[in-house]
Amino acid sequence: MTQVEIGRGKSGRRAYSLDEIGLVPSRRTRDPEEVSIAWQIDAYRFELPLVVCPMDSVVSPQTAIEIGRLGGLAVLDLEGLWTRYENPEPLLAEIAELAEPAATTRLQAIYAEPIKEELIGRRIEEIRSAGVTTAARLSPQRTVRYYKAVIDAGVDIFVIRGTTVSAEHVSGQAEPLNLKSFIYELDVPVIVGGCATYTAALHLMRTGAAGVLAGFGGGSGHTTTAVLGVAVPMATVIADVAAARRDYMDESGGRYVHVLADGGMTRSGDIAKALACGADAVMVGSPFARAAQAPGRGYHWGSEAHHPELPRGARVKVGTIGSFEQILHGPSSAADGSMNLMGALRRSMATAGYSDLKEFQRVEVVVTPSSRPRGEPTAQGETSARSW
């Protein structure tokens, strides 16, 4: 493990972003049509190793249904507009028209509307009735209050997602969520995160979670680095969390916890490299905010953007490039990795000679100079070369 001296009183481990690694082809290649990119978590099998982030700019009940029919999984944010308002469409249209200086203030006002418990059940049922796997997200702070409504509505996969989630939250103000006892009592698989270190991931795996989110999420709209100074490059995050998965399997006698890379992936090459570093699937948002059907109408924002006291995100203009189907399956009319994400993943695996995702995790990688100029922000807000 290489330590970099920052100064006489501080050193840090060298860490790598996805931009700084490259995939190495093996001695054989395959036909892309013969490559499987399916994955399974608990009893649920998906044809695509892709989970769409719980962000209002991307996931509505209708888009969750559409993504499900295309082979992926979309997570509905149960603290978003769809559980605060009967009809959020006029507000989504307003958000897309906001002038930049006023956007954060207006977002805070819009999201100040209380969550309505009856809407939680209604939105989940709307997705369930379409016959696709239903996934919904709560933050750790609101899980205890609303989880019963989520379970009673028949959610298939429960996602507990925050910027950073630990199994040992300490608070003198309120009784913290005990993840281990909470997950043990649920009859549905739970995905929990984010986390950015081996130790944090190992503790989350010990709670009984079916999956762990590796990374801070947020992606292109995330300003956590600027506001909090917190940043860990994604390639290192995924590799560390994957190592925790391996060691937890030994510790638990063979229990496998899925690793979902969350954040910092805007192009098809990023997705391929995240899976190569050890992820079982990826959670992405901004590529799908660019779909014609996306609720954000060409804009993208996450829950951090409307925090009432300390916003750590921004509403970002991403534009529109095509339909969900084109972004997932093509055909692509762009050469920048923004469309036909799954076709590109199949071709990456075929070029490297691997036939399924578990094999692909063994692909050789190399460290390369970043494709971005040194110091330019990446999708997660970290600079292209950083130690931690």
Side-chain angles (χ1 to χ4, degrees), residues 10-317:
K10 180 67 73 172
S11 61
R13 182 158 64 102
R14 179 69 170 91
Y16 298 94
S17 69
L18 293 172
D19 277 332
E20 293 177 287
I21 68 165
L23 309 182
V24 180
S26 67
R27 62 182 176 84
R28 66 168 64 90
T29 56
R30 297 180 183 275
D31 289 329
E33 294 78 13
E34 297 176 2
V35 168
S36 170
I37 57 173
W39 78 296
Q40 181 165 331
I41 181 168
D42 202 79
Y44 302 99
R45 177 184 167 87
F46 303 95
E47 294 307 309
L48 313 178
L50 183 133
V51 181
V52 180
C53 284
M55 295 179 171
D56 281 341
S57 56
V58 184
V59 181
S60 66
Q62 188 56 48
T63 60
I65 292 168
E66 188 163 354
I67 292 292
R69 288 173 175 166
L70 289 169
L73 175 69
V75 182
L76 184 69
D77 185 6
L78 297 180
E79 299 174 23
L81 297 177
W82 293 94
T83 58
R84 297 175 191 265
Y85 297 92
E86 285 277 351
N87 178 20
E89 291 293 348
L91 292 167
L92 289 163
E94 179 190 348
I95 291 170
E97 298 296 327
L98 289 174
E100 199 57 50
T104 297
T105 301
R106 181 57 182 146
L107 281 172
Q108 289 174 314
I110 289 172
Y111 281 88
E113 179 74 14
I115 296 169
K116 298 172 179 61
E117 197 163 315
E118 66 273 15
L119 287 178
I120 292 177
R122 195 185 309 172
R123 303 309 187 197
I124 292 173
E125 176 54 34
E126 188 176 340
I127 301 170
R128 276 182 59 83
S129 64
V132 301
T133 303
T134 306
R137 171 262 180 187
L138 287 171
S139 65
Q141 295 86 345
R142 289 194 170 105
T143 293
V144 171
R145 180 173 179 181
Y146 294 115
Y147 84 92
K148 193 172 187 306
V150 178
I151 300 301
D152 289 347
V155 76
D156 295 312
I157 298 174
F158 193 171
V159 179
I160 302 174
R161 182 179 185 259
T163 302
T164 302
V165 177
S166 73
E168 298 181 12
H169 180 68
V170 178
S171 173
Q173 307 299 316
E175 184 68 25
L177 174 65
N178 185 322
L179 279 172
K180 188 168 187 176
S181 61
F182 176 80
I183 291 173
Y184 179 79
E185 293 172 4
L186 293 182
D187 291 330
V188 300
V190 176
I191 297 172
V192 63
C195 65
T197 67
Y198 169 93
T199 302
L202 192 58
H203 281 278
L204 288 179
M205 291 171 185
R206 289 169 178 162
T207 66
V212 168
L213 297 170
F216 297 127
S220 55
H222 212 300
T223 61
T224 297
T225 301
V227 178
L228 301 182
V230 174
V232 188
M234 277 297 289
T236 296
V237 168
I238 298 164
D240 282 352
V241 176
R245 175 187 60 203
R246 176 199 62 210
D247 292 348
Y248 178 69
M249 279 188 68
D250 292 339
E251 173 188 303
S252 63
R255 184 173 180 270
Y256 190 91
V257 179
H258 295 266
V259 173
L260 288 80
D262 182 10
M265 291 162 288
T266 59
R267 301 164 297 190
S268 54
D270 299 330
I271 293 172
K273 288 188 279 188
L275 295 165
C277 285
D280 296 290
V282 298
M283 179 176 275
V284 296
S286 58
F288 296 95
R290 304 178 73 186
Q293 309 98 309
R297 296 162 168 79
Y299 284 86
H300 185 46
W301 67 93
S303 58
E304 299 87 359
H306 52 77
H307 192 282
E309 299 168 0
L310 190 66
R312 300 181 304 283
R315 185 201 61 161
V316 179
K317 186 172 183 178

